[in-house]
Amino acid sequence: MISASKLKSVDFYRKIPRDLTEASLSGAGLSIIAAFAMMFLFGMELNNYLTVSTLTSIIVDRSSDGEFLRIDFNIRLNITKTVRKLSIDPNLIPTGAEFHSGPIPKVSKHGDDSEEEYVDGSDSLTAENFEKYAHRYSILVANFFAPWCYWSNRLKPSWERAAKIIKERYDPEIDGRILLAKVDCTREGELCRRHHIQGYPSIRIFRKGSDVKENHGHHEHESYYGERDTDGLVAAMETLVAPIPRYSSNMALADESNHSVETAKRPAPLTSGCRIEGFVRVKKVPGTLVISAHSGSHSFDPSQINVSHVISQFSFGKKLSQRMLFEVKRLTPYLGGSHDRLMGRSYIINHDHANANVTIEHYLQVVKTEIALRRSSQELKLHEYEYTAHSSLVHSLYIPVAKFHFERSPMQVLVTEVPKSFSHFITNVCAIIGGVFTVAGILDSILHSTLWFVKKIDLGKQF
């Protein structure tokens, strides 16, 4: 067995008897200063240890999140099942529940196939006589057309034949229940604008002077979307007139005078729009997201279409959860400022003759940032897409649209979390304590020797 005396021989910290030591005010002051210095430097080292360090580099994009890129948007102005559409008023307030268009009516007959001659059977309406006709008949079906429109010309023969047949079956002067009429929008532009006609032909159904129907506070125009051949039109008109009791036009005029308030035409809703929101998945190649009016059986008047819009959201990639967003901000506080660059921006066009046929185009440059987080022995990767945006107004000869051109950068920003070793932290703490203690001891020795030297001089002792 090793004796205690032999163990004492390897003691690195030999003790000096207290009787052989001397305390001093200068030593006490330095001890206090050294203690505060140790605590301050320890706090700095601890803060440095807890602060996240990252390494940022730019590399060629090596995406591991698939070949498709998700685009989320919420624009107040249906493309897929992932897009919702709601109507809004001029103040951007929703006017009803979500709109479900359902299956799009498929018009297979746009007119009569035969080329037989026909005579005009429908009455021509103008701004001066429109209200008179609209209040005179229980049902007024008006065809708003343009002579230059291909689909209007396809409809014209069958419309005139159907109008003639309906007149023969329901004499306007005797029956008074229904009348088929037409409006030339190239001549009656103000009348067509009043009824928000943007595509041709538009067949509107006016009941007791109004083409607006109300469903739980949601206003819509009552339009005809059925077949356009003579037989189809006649059958549809028969269905409209069937529930209405027969009475003469004289009775209709008398009833109108007695109930002028009830039959007064309600104004059509003020110009409004819709809000579309949802997401689409696109290939990771340069492309364009286009929002436009489209129909397989109508021609649109470009001068009547206004694509002004307010963007509530337009972002790329999946939306991060709050926890993941906190992790991103912890690592890179500067990240996220351009994730939704267009949010809250308004692009409003005063729709007059000078600003007609205006397309709004947005050019977006998308850059991907990949963040590598280290948790224990695992590495967690987050993907964030940011972009720059530039917009312009372009006068177009075609139907105005809202375009979002996007181009993804071939480079990506890689942010990697650099972990810090706990052993390195302990080593630095020991170095701080030992270093401060040693430096304080040296300063105390110098100060003590200096004071002792000065004291000896004062006593007149010379070495």
Side-chain angles (χ1 to χ4, degrees):
M1 301 223 14
I2 301 176
S3 62
S5 59
K6 290 184 177 181
L7 284 174
K8 290 180 179 181
S9 63
V10 296
D11 184 6
F12 294 159
Y13 308 101
R14 295 174 181 267
K15 308 301 184 293
I16 300 175
R18 184 176 292 272
D19 295 338
L20 301 179
T21 60
E22 181 184 1
S24 64
L25 289 176
S26 61
L30 280 174
S31 298
I32 295 173
I33 294 174
F36 278 110
M38 288 180 188
M39 288 188 291
F40 175 75
L41 294 176
F42 173 78
M44 295 286 290
E45 182 63 26
L46 180 62
N47 180 69
N48 182 64
Y49 175 71
L50 296 177
T51 302
V52 178
S53 297
T54 58
L55 177 64
T56 302
S57 55
I58 298 177
I59 61 173
V60 175
D61 190 0
R62 54 184 185 185
S63 297
S64 58
D65 54 347
E67 60 178 325
F68 288 95
L69 177 62
R70 172 174 169 145
I71 303 178
D72 288 277
F73 54 86
N74 185 336
I75 305 173
R76 306 183 186 191
L77 206 158
N78 205 329
I79 29 192
T80 69
K81 293 181 180 179
T82 60
V83 177
R84 302 172 63 226
K85 184 166 60 176
L86 302 96
S87 61
I88 57 174
D89 63 15
N91 297 319
L92 307 181
I93 300 174
T95 58
E98 179 182 354
F99 175 72
H100 298 279
S101 57
I104 299 175
K106 184 177 181 181
V107 180
S108 58
K109 297 180 180 179
H110 299 279
D112 292 337
D113 295 330
S114 63
E115 297 182 359
E116 297 178 3
E117 294 186 0
Y118 62 92
V119 295
D120 288 352
S122 62
D123 292 25
S124 294
L125 302 181
T126 64
E128 288 74 22
N129 65 10
F130 187 89
E131 296 297 329
K132 176 183 176 182
Y133 275 83
H135 289 88
R136 182 174 182 180
Y137 300 98
S138 298
I139 295 180
L140 173 66
V141 186
N143 172 25
F144 294 85
F145 73 97
W148 52 262
C149 172
Y150 168 79
W151 300 106
S152 295
N153 293 326
R154 283 281 302 272
L155 172 64
K156 184 177 180 180
S158 57
W159 182 261
E160 300 298 342
R161 294 190 188 103
K164 187 173 183 299
I165 294 173
I166 293 298
K167 268 188 177 181
E168 293 172 352
R169 295 183 184 178
Y170 307 95
D171 192 317
E173 300 299 329
I174 300 176
D175 191 294
R177 283 184 288 177
I178 188 169
L179 180 72
L180 271 67
K182 59 190 174 186
V183 179
D184 185 350
C185 288
T186 59
R187 295 183 177 181
E188 303 295 332
E190 183 58 35
L191 178 61
C192 293
R193 279 191 290 272
R194 192 192 314 164
H195 292 282
H196 309 294
I197 304 299
Q198 296 178 327
Y200 310 113
S202 291
I203 302 176
R204 291 278 176 83
I205 302 169
F206 295 82
R207 298 178 186 269
K208 295 183 179 180
S210 175
D211 68 331
V212 177
K213 59 181 180 180
E214 185 173 352
N215 180 18
H216 301 291
H218 179 61
H219 289 166
E220 293 180 350
H221 293 290
E222 192 169 1
S223 302
Y224 173 78
Y225 296 106
E227 301 294 348
R228 297 179 181 176
D229 62 319
T230 301
D231 294 337
L233 288 168
V234 171
M237 299 306 114
E238 292 278 8
T239 303
L240 289 174
V241 80
I244 302 176
R246 180 177 177 178
Y247 58 98
S248 66
S249 59
N250 294 329
M251 291 177 62
L253 291 173
D255 182 72
E256 179 183 329
S257 62
N258 293 332
H259 301 84
S260 58
V261 176
E262 293 182 4
T263 60
K265 181 180 183 299
R266 287 183 296 163
L270 295 175
T271 302
S272 57
C274 66
R275 183 181 77 200
I276 58 175
E277 59 183 32
F279 70 91
V280 293
R281 297 176 71 241
V282 298
K283 286 280 190 177
K284 292 181 178 178
V285 295
T288 304
L289 176 64
V290 182
I291 300 175
S292 67
H294 177 74
S295 174
S297 56
H298 293 82
S299 297
F300 292 98
D301 185 353
S303 64
Q304 299 300 318
I305 295 180
N306 188 338
V307 293
S308 297
H309 54 269
V310 176
I311 302 175
S312 299
Q313 178 192 10
F314 197 96
S315 58
F316 295 86
K318 291 184 179 180
K319 187 176 181 179
L320 298 178
S321 64
Q322 289 297 327
R323 188 177 69 85
M324 292 294 100
L325 193 59
F326 173 78
E327 290 292 336
V328 170
K329 292 294 185 182
R330 184 178 66 86
L331 282 177
T332 52
Y334 59 86
L335 198 64
S338 301
H339 173 69
D340 197 353
R341 196 67 176 268
L342 290 175
M343 180 179 65
R345 294 193 183 183
S346 302
Y347 301 89
I348 308 299
I349 303 171
N350 295 322
H351 201 219
D352 51 27
H353 294 292
N355 291 320
N357 297 36
V358 173
T359 287
I360 303 178
E361 299 190 10
H362 307 279
Y363 297 88
L364 315 178
Q365 293 283 340
V366 186
V367 178
K368 177 186 176 183
T369 300
E370 183 176 303
I371 305 169
L373 304 174
R374 296 190 182 276
R375 292 294 175 269
S376 299
S377 58
Q378 296 182 346
E379 184 179 74
L380 177 63
K381 290 187 178 181
L382 302 177
H383 305 283
E384 177 87 347
Y385 289 89
E386 295 192 308
Y387 62 90
T388 59
H390 303 279
S391 305
S392 65
L393 306 182
V394 180
H395 284 271
S396 172
L397 298 176
Y398 306 100
I399 298 175
V401 299
K403 291 184 178 180
F404 296 82
H405 305 277
F406 55 89
E407 183 175 355
R408 194 166 178 270
S409 172
M411 310 299 288
Q412 75 170 43
V413 179
L414 178 61
V415 180
T416 306
E417 182 180 8
V418 181
K420 294 182 179 179
S421 172
F422 182 73
S423 61
H424 187 266
F425 168 71
I426 294 297
T427 302
N428 286 351
V429 170
C430 293
I432 289 172
I433 296 174
V436 172
F437 187 83
T438 302
V439 171
I442 295 173
L443 292 176
D444 179 65
S445 178
I446 295 173
L447 182 60
H448 182 73
S449 299
T450 303
L451 291 175
W452 180 71
F453 181 75
V454 171
K455 186 177 181 180
K456 294 189 83 172
I457 293 177
D458 291 341
L459 295 174
K461 297 180 180 180
Q462 297 296 331
F463 292 98

